[in-house]
Amino acid sequence: MSPHRTSTSLGAGRRLVVKIGSALLVDEADGTIRRDWLAALVADLAACRNLGQEVLIVSSGAIAVGRQHLGLDRRPLHLDEKQAAAATGMIRLAHAYQEALAAHSITVAQVLLTLDDSEDRRRYINARNTLATLLRFGAVPLINENDTVATDEIRFGDNDRLAARVAAMVSADTLVLLSDIDGLYDADPHANPTARLIPEVHEITPEIEAMAAGTAGGYGTGGMVTKLAAARIALAAGCRMVIADGHPLHPLARIDQTTRRTWFIPAASPQAARKSWIAGTLAPAGSIIVDAGAARALASGKSLLPAGVTAIEGDFGKGAAIVVKDGRGRELGRGLSAYSAADARRIIGKKTGEIEDCLGYRGRDELIHRDDLALHQGASE
Ligand code: GLU
């Protein structure tokens, strides 16, 4: 359990996903990247890391940079033009981040995701593992949608929701949406001077939804409606989310110094939310039968290793949700398999050092990692 889950201080977070909107980073008029703003943001990110926080960036701006570079004036752009603009702009965006982060000796790693990567089980678990590995090596993942290959139907289209999916994927405890508005208002602040900013939200009620829809640009990309959709994803994953004004220099440092921001506070921790998602919401695709020693190891909080497995039932892919049973057929819990059923069958009963010889590649040591395992109450008795 994260003791800081309900805090409204950015400093309380341990793993932060920071989403940066195009309008902050890119000068719409000439498509240039605002280097001073970026340098100040990156100084804030470096300060977070010095406090021991892990940081992932989700940045927009590829299309805004690329369209100017290619001289595409049409509004709105056609899909193929957007994709060409994204391809042109992303490399420039990545360069700018690399340069800015290098000034603090921080390594940046570009990760382009499509909606499929968060929906499809196998790709999801791969993306999650890659991001975790990058964090372990101290790199800062720089994430954007893979606009160049995504077609309209499978596009996120907006990075607010992409950032929330990433936060859920890596079990982040904090999602920061740096935006051109400083928070959620109870009425449209442009039209209504008495509109009040809501500093804290604990539940997304129909009333809150009505407030978002009433904001100028509410339904547009990056509008308040997509921000609430992001909040819903984040809260369900046990992740706090804050909407804050990104315009000033050092926008992250500012969050803890102002009350003009909106925090969304979840009811559960990311770990608890992930486990209840694994335990409850997935249709299991097969089963793994474990011996008594493995059952005891699981009950004491360990991962499931192939050595303790006696049989595999069903046909499932890597990343699938499966049931874990003991020798008497009692369901101990559910988890996400790090191997397909076919590969899992080949490594049953094998020691960690034998996995590579059996499969011809070096996969994970665990068949189900303990973070991906939700044991039923009483399964340990
Ligand atoms: N992926 C788009 C880009 O980088 C941005 C989408 C958004 O701003 O929400 O240009």
Side-chain angles (χ1 to χ4, degrees):
M1 288 286 286
S2 160
H4 304 307
R5 174 170 50 82
T6 56
S7 166
T8 54
S9 148
L10 189 65
R14 291 175 190 166
R15 182 172 285 183
L16 321 181
V17 174
V18 180
K19 185 258 168 175
I20 293 139
S22 268
L24 302 173
L25 184 60
V26 184
D27 189 328
E28 274 283 320
D30 59 7
T32 55
I33 295 170
R34 295 198 178 95
R35 303 273 171 172
D36 293 352
W37 184 87
L38 181 59
L41 170 84
V42 162
D44 285 1
L45 294 175
C48 290
R49 283 170 45 105
N50 287 338
L51 291 175
Q53 297 177 308
E54 292 175 317
V55 176
L56 300 93
I57 303 170
V58 174
S59 183
S60 305
I63 296 175
V65 169
R67 75 181 301 152
Q68 291 285 351
H69 196 74
L70 294 177
L72 287 164
D73 297 327
R74 187 208 307 276
R75 265 165 216 277
L77 291 180
H78 294 165
L79 180 62
D80 56 341
E81 293 168 336
K82 266 191 212 159
Q83 295 182 311
T88 313
M90 191 59 220
I91 194 162
R92 301 181 154 258
L93 208 60
H95 263 295
Y97 275 100
Q98 186 188 22
E99 238 174 67
L101 284 156
H104 299 270
S105 307
I106 298 173
T107 301
V108 63
Q110 177 185 277
V111 178
L112 299 179
L113 295 173
T114 58
L115 185 60
D116 271 4
D117 296 334
S118 71
E119 296 298 325
D120 175 79
R121 313 284 329 146
R122 183 173 52 84
R123 291 214 221 163
Y124 176 92
I125 209 162
N126 279 344
R128 175 180 161 88
N129 288 341
T130 304
L131 290 170
T133 305
L134 286 169
L135 292 174
R136 205 169 62 240
F137 283 108
V140 169
L142 169 66
I143 300 155
N144 197 355
E145 182 162 15
N146 195 349
D147 290 305
T148 307
V149 297
T151 57
D152 247 345
E153 312 81 71
I154 64 159
R155 288 185 85 223
F156 280 95
D158 69 87
N159 275 1
D160 292 330
R161 283 182 308 150
L162 174 66
R165 293 255 179 242
V166 167
M169 190 187 267
V170 300
S171 302
D173 53 31
T174 310
L175 168 62
V176 181
L177 299 186
L178 291 180
S179 168
D180 47 12
I181 184 155
D182 50 4
L184 174 70
Y185 284 81
D186 64 354
D188 186 351
H190 301 294
N192 189 339
T194 61
R196 227 169 33 89
L197 184 136
I198 315 284
E200 220 173 291
V201 174
H202 288 259
E203 198 189 342
I204 299 172
T205 59
E207 232 182 315
I208 298 279
E209 271 167 6
M211 290 175 192
T215 314
Y219 285 98
T221 301
M224 208 37 89
V225 172
T226 67
K227 292 195 171 24
L228 272 204
R232 203 173 290 109
I233 296 165
L235 294 192
C239 177
R240 309 180 297 162
M241 182 180 113
V242 61
I243 300 175
D245 182 7
H247 282 303
L249 293 181
H250 299 289
L252 284 180
R254 209 174 147 269
I255 291 176
D256 282 351
Q257 295 158 10
T258 177
T259 50
R260 300 207 64 76
R261 74 311 179 251
T262 303
W263 274 103
F264 294 80
I265 303 295
S269 70
Q271 289 71 23
R274 181 169 166 79
K275 297 226 165 179
S276 70
W277 169 68
I278 291 171
T281 62
L282 301 165
S287 312
I288 290 185
I289 321 297
V290 302
D291 64 21
R296 272 194 304 277
L298 297 184
S300 70
K302 301 233 165 64
S303 296
L304 177 62
L305 301 178
V309 175
T310 57
I312 307 281
E313 291 170 353
D315 184 22
F316 50 83
K318 179 177 173 180
I322 46 173
V323 172
V324 180
K325 294 183 191 164
D326 68 10
R328 287 184 288 160
R330 275 192 321 169
E331 184 169 327
L332 303 177
R334 291 179 181 200
L336 305 182
S337 176
Y339 289 94
S340 67
D343 282 356
R345 285 196 174 92
R346 291 160 70 188
I347 56 174
I348 283 178
K350 301 289 186 210
K351 298 206 176 64
T352 302
E354 297 169 333
I355 296 178
E356 188 169 1
D357 276 349
C358 292
L359 297 179
Y361 66 90
R362 175 142 173 78
R364 293 191 77 141
D365 292 350
E366 312 87 14
L367 197 45
I368 303 180
H369 191 273
R370 59 197 165 107
D371 291 349
D372 296 333
L373 181 69
L375 286 185
H376 295 320
Q377 292 278 315
S380 49
E381 287 147 26

